[in-house]
Amino acid sequence: MKVAKVVLVTGASSGIGRAAAAMLHDRGHIVYGTSRDPERHPAAWRMIRLDVADDSSVAAAMATILAEQSRIDAVVNNAGLVLAGAVEDTTLAEARQLFETNLFGALRVTRAALPAMRAQRAGVIVNIGSLAGRVGLPFQGLYSASKFALEGLSESLRLEVAGFGVQVTLVAPGDTATSVVDNRQRTEASGLEASAYAGVFPRVLATFEAEERAGSPAVGVARRIADIVEGRATAPRYVVGPLAQRILVAGRAFIPARLFQWGLGIYYRLRP
Ligand SMILES: NC(=O)c1ccc[n+]([C@@H]2O[C@H](COP(=O)([O-])OP(=O)(O)OC[C@H]3O[C@@H](n4cnc5c(N)ncnc54)[C@H](OP(=O)(O)O)[C@@H]3O)[C@@H](O)[C@H]2O)c1
């Protein structure tokens, strides 16, 4: 008989997080989904308040789960933001804000969950990376940086906690049709005519938006997440999403870096 697991899914108000929470709920697990505004996002599973960028909010959410369930079997670190704009046009404040959610948010939630998981001698942590964490994308440099960093964190952590019975796995989705296009933030300077990148940025952004709108359904990513939570997928990393993008990531190792970058430049129309 399958045992119901207690699972925390951050950012379950939309997109990949919502699809993952729904699938885990349908498979009989006890799901705690989160939003910074849970009342606006009612669901068949429990929605609780969580801002991953806030220490006390993370502590309160974890305390609620442990008080109600006395255990936490899995955490899906899915909450994330996308920031578009040239690297040069990104202020340190904007960069820090992005990392506060995409990297330090996952770190906060992980650190809050690990003491209970170590005590249980069991647990699963699923970090949602991105194709942009495998390939540096133009005009999403800070986003790429945050997801590359999450890859490194996941690999290191996996080695450290395996001895306590805790599994860490990163899922790197390619383009997925979610609210990401509407929720994408832009650096303030990227909208200014004075920006040195004012000509090229809109072209690249249009390519991103077209790719994301035509992305794979979130349910494919959700299925992989649910399989990891249930212990049926145990690898360090899974790349999921459109076939062409998965081939691109896998093929990268065999293509000279200069040629690979040239191809990206053509694809994203970096030169008119
Ligand atoms: N869609 C894609 O093509 C794609 C591709 C690769 C990777 N990803 C990654 O997949 C994850 C989910 O993205 P998505 O496409 O599903 O985006 P989405 O539809 O925009 O959903 C983002 C989620 O993150 C939550 N969130 C944002 N900031 C938060 C914070 N400070 N604290 C807590 N929750 C926060 C939002 O919840 P509230 O606003 O309700 O708090 C929302 O539920 C992200 O990590 C993203 O980088 C997406």
Side-chain angles (χ1 to χ4, degrees):
M1 198 190 73
K2 199 168 74 178
V3 180
K5 293 188 182 291
V6 178
V7 189
L8 168 64
V9 181
T10 70
S13 62
S14 89
I16 292 170
R18 194 159 186 92
M23 186 164 294
L24 287 160
H25 172 77
D26 290 349
R27 290 191 188 184
H29 299 294
I30 302 163
V31 176
Y32 285 76
T34 82
S35 166
R36 285 164 293 180
D37 193 358
E39 288 80 19
R40 281 189 52 222
H41 304 282
W45 56 90
R46 182 110 186 277
M47 285 293 288
I48 60 174
R49 186 174 309 280
L50 175 65
D51 180 349
V52 297
D54 180 322
D55 287 343
S56 57
S57 176
V58 172
M62 196 56 67
T64 299
I65 297 170
L66 292 175
E68 292 179 7
Q69 305 295 337
S70 308
R71 64 182 214 272
I72 172 97
D73 297 311
V75 166
V76 182
N77 280 314
N78 164 79
L81 296 174
V82 180
L83 178 68
V87 171
E88 187 184 346
D89 280 346
T90 309
T91 65
L92 267 293
E94 288 169 331
R96 286 193 183 105
Q97 196 201 359
L98 186 78
F99 269 68
E100 210 54 73
T101 299
N102 289 7
L103 182 68
F104 302 135
L107 176 61
R108 270 189 198 92
V109 175
T110 297
R111 292 190 68 231
L114 273 175
M117 288 183 173
R118 282 190 294 97
Q120 296 161 187
R121 309 282 310 171
V124 175
I125 294 170
V126 187
N127 289 334
I128 307 303
S130 172
L131 198 92
R134 314 285 307 153
V135 175
L137 299 179
F139 298 96
Q140 292 203 145
L142 270 299
Y143 177 69
S144 273
S146 72
K147 294 295 187 178
F148 268 77
L150 189 61
E151 290 246 350
L153 184 84
S154 301
E155 284 188 7
S156 299
L157 181 65
R158 182 178 166 98
L159 293 168
E160 292 172 7
V161 298
F164 295 102
V166 179
Q167 177 194 326
V168 180
T169 290
L170 181 124
V171 174
D175 285 315
T176 312
T178 67
S179 309
V180 73
V181 174
D182 307 315
N183 293 340
R184 185 198 322 273
Q185 300 185 347
R186 295 175 191 203
T187 62
E188 208 178 315
S190 68
L192 305 178
E193 271 179 39
S195 166
Y197 307 90
V200 61
F201 176 62
R203 274 203 309 275
V204 178
L205 197 59
T207 307
F208 282 137
E209 292 188 349
E211 281 175 334
E212 285 156 3
R213 289 196 201 283
S216 301
V219 72
V221 188
R223 195 171 297 121
R224 177 63 78 185
I225 293 169
D227 287 348
I228 296 166
V229 167
E230 291 180 341
R232 282 185 284 119
T234 56
R237 175 190 302 107
Y238 294 95
V239 178
V240 290
L243 179 65
Q245 296 184 353
R246 281 184 281 135
I247 291 172
L248 182 86
V249 169
R252 181 183 184 170
F254 306 101
I255 302 171
R258 195 194 298 262
L259 182 63
F260 188 81
Q261 286 237 310
W262 175 80
L264 282 181
I266 301 282
Y267 180 77
Y268 285 109
R269 296 178 293 152
L270 293 181
R271 292 201 179 81

